[in-house]
Amino acid sequence: MYRIFIVEDDVVFREALSRQLSHRGYQVQLAEDFQDVLAQFEAYQPHLVLLDISLPFFDGYYWCEEIRRISQTPILFLTSASDDIHLIMAVNQGADDLIPKPFCMEAVLAKIQAVLRRVYSFGAQKNLVRFGDISLNPGQGTVWRGEAKAQLTKNESRILQMLLESRGEIVSRESIMRSLWEDESFIDENTLTVNVARLRKKLEEMGLRSLIGTQKGLGYFVRTGA
């Protein structure tokens, strides 16, 4: 069941949208604290976000940028402004599409279904990295094992991908640092240590406490049968 996170302050509109999505079999979460949308996003780990542009405290562009720092989850903007400038701004901030208000509910549902199919059905499976019963989708930054699932940051996802693709062989800290440096996200050696620690914590919460091993002075590897 796909999880949809609705960030909309119009109570009547969001309740109507939530009911329609629930009737179609989606699991829906409504944002309640508009001062900390990101924390709610991280806790819910949705498959798709419906994000209003005009919000209290911070607008939708701000929250889209914040979400994009840690996730590639598809985002559809909801807005009463349908001009090209808003569409360009939405795309530049990392949104997948813009839905102008007012709109036909059937059209909205069709667009949601199309995005979910594109992201999670058509191209998602061929890009998966598998290691035993563990699956990683690098593009979405999601890792799961059975029903357990975690959302990773870009760096965490890249580190785990390198380790999984090495099939238990040691991956040197230097090679990981070079990979992270390519997108200028690496700062110093301690940053790698922090990223690995955070990745381990998320994996532990999935029941994968000993997945990542350390070879002192050399680097990291994934343990088989973890």
Side-chain angles (χ1 to χ4, degrees), residues 179-190:
S179 177
L180 298 182
W181 180 261
E182 288 178 356
D183 65 358
E184 299 181 351
S185 58
F186 177 71
I187 300 174
D188 57 29
E189 189 170 349
N190 185 58

Side-chain angles (χ1 to χ4, degrees), residues 175-209:
S175 63
I176 297 175
M177 289 188 285
R178 282 196 299 270
S179 177
L180 298 182
W181 180 261
E182 288 178 356
D183 65 358
E184 299 181 351
S185 58
F186 177 71
I187 300 174
D188 57 29
E189 189 170 349
N190 185 58
T191 302
L192 176 59
T193 302
V194 171
N195 274 274
V196 172
R198 289 175 178 170
L199 174 59
R200 277 177 165 151
K201 182 177 180 181
K202 291 181 179 180
L203 294 173
E204 287 175 5
E205 292 172 351
M206 296 173 56
L208 297 168
R209 182 176 299 276

